[in-house]
Amino acid sequence: MSDTGHIENIREALTAFRHGIRVLEDHLAPDAPDQALTEALTPALETILAMKGRLIVSGMGKSGHIGCKLAATFASTGTPAFFVHPAEASHGDLGMITKDDVVLMLSWSGETRELGDLATYCRRFRVPLISISGNAQSTLAKAANVAIALPKSPEACPHNLAPTTSTLLQLAIGDALAVALLRARGFSEKSFFDFHPGGKLGASLTDVGEIMSKGDDMPLVGQDQVVFDVVSGIWGKNLGIVGITNDAGDLIGVVTDGDLRRYLAESSDTSMQAAMRETKASEIMTADPICLSKDMLAAGALARMQKNKISAAYVLEDGKPVGVLTLLQLLNLGVA
């Protein structure tokens, strides 16, 4: 088969996936003739929101693999969840499930034999059961407290056998449920960081207050101090910036190494030393500089600094400088 043939096969598969998603969207439209799917999703969400325990996700085969991914998505977005393999559940792992939990089962046919013991356990101990299947009349759907029946759409497999479009729809509706729960709970970027402290994502969600230079590492000069003091502040702390404060300790401006270079370039060699001892910091500063807050996320701080084309910014609290953050610090942290 030619390369063109391979690409055409891939395009046909993607077309099948796109069709499946479109069918799913159409079933959720306000004017859809069949509102069964829409009517099932709200009680499913409310059941999960009301639970005191964990969301237990289970499924067999390809549906089980999708279930593992969904459990990870739920857990990372504010809904405590984990995956229980149905075969292992029948051999003792049912003990992981309590009355405070909610069980979410995935089976496209709704007739997966291995889910039987878990469904029976839920009914016996009154553990709420939510099913996601492709058959509203299946054994699993009938056993569930809330049955989410997904619309049928041809598999991408040319024989319409290998679970492809069907597993995509399970994944899509599961992830959509997780996002809806995230929004309902008011799950914030900070909450997200609590569950993602590692890697670039974790770095991006770190508070500015945790990484800024502060205390003696923060260069500050009074407005009436002279340029010599500004030079000492910039070069002594090696941050490329010094903050200028008034008598009340409020930040009224900054002098960057660029500001300093421009000032020195405009001064003649014979008068430079005298000027540096007479010119006040307030005369060469940039007033009303771009500033940050301690609770701003590192990613947001980076975006603001890049937008304003600055390499350092002071962090204020009630108008007073409490820290300074540089692009280099963000780069070293791994944000950019």
Side-chain angles (χ1 to χ4, degrees):
M1 180 179 290
S2 67
D3 291 346
T4 303
H6 292 314
I7 298 302
E8 184 58 30
N9 288 337
I10 291 173
R11 292 181 67 250
E12 287 183 8
L14 293 174
T15 298
F17 297 153
R18 185 167 60 250
H19 177 265
I21 293 294
R22 188 181 301 118
V23 170
L24 180 58
E25 287 182 315
D26 290 345
H27 272 70
L28 291 172
D31 58 350
D34 185 355
Q35 292 290 312
L37 179 57
T38 297
E39 292 169 357
L41 291 175
T42 296
L45 287 166
E46 291 176 347
T47 298
I48 298 172
L49 281 169
M51 73 181 184
K52 297 179 180 178
R54 292 80 40 85
L55 181 64
I56 312 301
V57 185
S58 189
M60 195 71 188
K62 305 300 184 295
S63 293
H65 293 306
I66 296 298
C68 285
K69 190 275 177 187
L70 291 180
T73 299
F74 282 116
S76 70
T77 53
T79 300
F82 63 86
F83 181 83
V84 170
H85 194 285
E88 298 295 342
S90 298
H91 293 273
D93 282 1
L94 286 172
M96 296 179 176
I97 305 170
T98 73
K99 294 180 180 179
D100 290 332
D101 299 332
V102 171
V103 172
L104 175 65
M105 284 194 204
L106 290 83
S107 168
W108 188 249
S109 68
E111 301 295 341
T112 305
R113 177 171 51 84
E114 291 86 351
L115 296 176
D117 289 342
L118 184 50
T120 299
Y121 182 88
C122 290
R123 185 166 55 249
R124 178 183 177 187
F125 292 100
R126 298 184 179 180
V127 179
L129 170 60
I130 300 170
S131 68
I132 297 179
S133 73
N135 185 357
Q137 301 305 315
S138 65
T139 301
L140 176 60
K142 292 178 179 179
N145 299 91
V146 181
I148 298 172
L150 300 178
K152 296 286 178 48
S153 184
E155 302 285 6
C157 165
H159 310 297
N160 199 33
L161 293 175
T164 46
T165 306
S166 57
T167 50
L168 175 64
L169 295 184
Q170 288 178 315
L171 178 63
I173 202 68
D175 276 346
L177 285 170
V179 171
L181 290 165
L182 177 156
R183 290 180 171 174
R185 287 195 170 93
F187 193 79
S188 66
E189 289 177 319
K190 287 187 176 181
S191 303
F192 204 75
F193 171 68
D194 290 338
F195 301 135
H196 300 78
K200 183 174 181 179
L201 178 59
S204 299
L205 298 174
T206 303
D207 284 344
V208 165
E210 296 180 32
I211 55 178
M212 66 186 185
S213 298
K214 50 192 171 183
D216 292 338
D217 294 326
M218 177 178 53
L220 294 173
V221 170
Q223 61 183 349
D224 294 327
Q225 291 180 258
V226 297
V227 173
F228 262 123
D229 300 313
V230 171
V231 173
S232 177
I234 290 180
W235 293 348
K237 303 300 182 182
N238 200 31
L239 295 178
I241 192 171
V242 62
I244 311 302
T245 58
N246 60 19
D247 293 339
D250 298 321
L251 186 79
I252 59 172
V254 297
V255 177
T256 66
D257 50 7
D259 294 326
L260 186 58
R261 283 195 300 270
R262 284 187 289 273
Y263 167 75
L264 295 176
E266 293 170 0
S267 302
S268 65
D269 293 338
T270 56
S271 63
M272 184 180 298
Q273 289 195 12
M276 291 176 65
R277 296 183 184 279
E278 296 173 2
T279 304
K280 293 182 179 180
S282 58
E283 296 179 48
I284 67 168
M285 72 181 186
T286 297
D288 298 321
I290 302 298
C291 295
L292 310 172
S293 61
K294 286 198 305 183
D295 57 357
M296 178 181 287
L297 298 180
L302 175 64
R304 180 174 295 184
M305 293 167 74
Q306 288 178 327
K307 178 181 178 181
N308 291 280
K309 298 179 180 179
I310 57 176
S311 59
Y314 273 81
V315 181
L316 301 187
E317 191 170 27
D318 297 327
K320 293 180 170 51
V322 294
V324 61
L325 185 70
T326 67
L327 279 178
L328 182 59
Q329 288 172 316
L330 292 172
L331 288 169
N332 288 337
L333 185 66
V335 177

